[in-house]
Amino acid sequence: MKTIGVLALQGAVSEHLEAIKSIGATGIAVKHPDQLSQLDGLILPGGESTTMRRLMKKYDLFETVKAFAETGKGIMGTCAGLVLTAREIDESQDETLQLIDTTVVRNGFGRQKDSFETMIVVKGLTGSAFPAVFIRAPYIVAVGKEAETLAFVDNKCVAARQGKVIVTAFHPELTNDTRLLELFVSIL
Ligand code: GLN
């Protein structure tokens, strides 16, 4: 059985933990760097990336999570988590974990679409389209050759993968569709 952590400093933590439990894996709310050694993978949830970065630095989880991923463990970043894992943030000097070769635009869907839900096709998932919930979502504006695009909305890339790192601009944990989480667990 795989053990999946959810970074629990800020944001949508409990929904991820419930989804992990629902697929028969073990979920752990991660608040301290010493918890990382028990994990096969870590989810960086949605929330507010600036706040999450600040708290990760404060609790010594920024460099330690980066090292965790660099030793071959899995990372799933949703929404703010997609921002934090990117190589860089468009028009910003804000530091990122640089775990996937992407450039991201924060709040990239604009005001009129601050929050919306739509069905999307995600590469690698079999069956029907995936229900994607976007909340002040970012998107990926550039994908380097190391990374692979997985899904688009309005010609904007909203999911990508590089090795054991999977990122989504939407919130899979807010629906009952666990296929993306299962995909993540299957590659750990
Ligand atoms: N707009 C937020 C950010 O850039 C992300 C929103 C979310 O995670 N739902 O941090």
Side-chain angles (χ1 to χ4, degrees):
M1 183 149 90
K2 300 286 186 196
T3 302
I4 313 298
V6 182
L7 188 70
L9 301 176
Q10 193 259 341
V13 176
S14 59
E15 295 89 347
H16 276 296
L17 289 171
E18 278 163 33
I20 292 164
K21 200 168 150 195
S22 80
I23 64 163
T26 302
I28 293 182
V30 173
K31 295 185 172 173
H32 304 285
D34 56 12
Q35 293 174 283
L36 295 172
S37 61
Q38 320 166 46
L39 308 178
D40 299 296
L42 176 68
I43 296 176
L44 304 183
E48 215 289 311
S49 56
T50 306
T51 306
M52 219 177 290
R53 178 189 302 102
R54 185 168 53 74
L55 294 172
M56 286 177 84
K57 294 253 180 195
K58 181 172 175 184
Y59 295 106
D60 192 25
L61 278 159
F62 196 85
E63 297 301 332
T64 49
V65 164
K66 188 170 166 63
F68 170 83
E70 286 169 353
T71 58
K73 298 298 176 77
I75 297 280
M76 184 169 181
T78 60
C79 204
L82 168 143
V83 174
L84 289 170
T85 49
R87 184 171 55 76
E88 64 174 0
I89 302 171
D90 192 45
E91 294 184 357
S92 164
Q93 300 300 318
D94 287 346
E95 197 178 353
T96 56
L97 294 164
Q98 300 191 313
L99 299 177
I100 180 165
D101 194 2
T102 54
T103 303
V104 300
V105 177
R106 290 183 66 196
N107 307 312
F109 282 95
R111 257 213 163 144
Q112 77 285 9
K113 282 187 178 176
D114 266 356
S115 297
F116 62 100
E117 182 170 348
T118 187
M119 300 300 290
I120 62 172
V121 174
V122 181
K123 194 172 169 187
L125 297 188
T126 50
S128 52
F130 192 91
V133 179
F134 293 81
I135 303 170
R136 294 186 310 284
Y139 69 86
I140 298 168
V141 67
V143 182
K145 56 179 184 302
E146 303 294 320
E148 175 190 18
T149 58
L150 299 181
F152 290 86
V153 168
D154 295 347
N155 291 319
K156 295 181 166 97
C157 177
V158 293
R161 173 177 172 184
Q162 182 174 323
K164 292 187 185 177
V165 180
I166 294 179
V167 294
T168 68
F170 48 93
H171 288 260
E173 79 286 3
L174 297 184
T175 71
N176 292 324
D177 194 323
T178 52
R179 284 178 292 165
L180 261 172
L181 178 61
E182 287 170 271
L183 173 69
F184 176 59
V185 172
S186 77
I187 63 173
L188 298 178

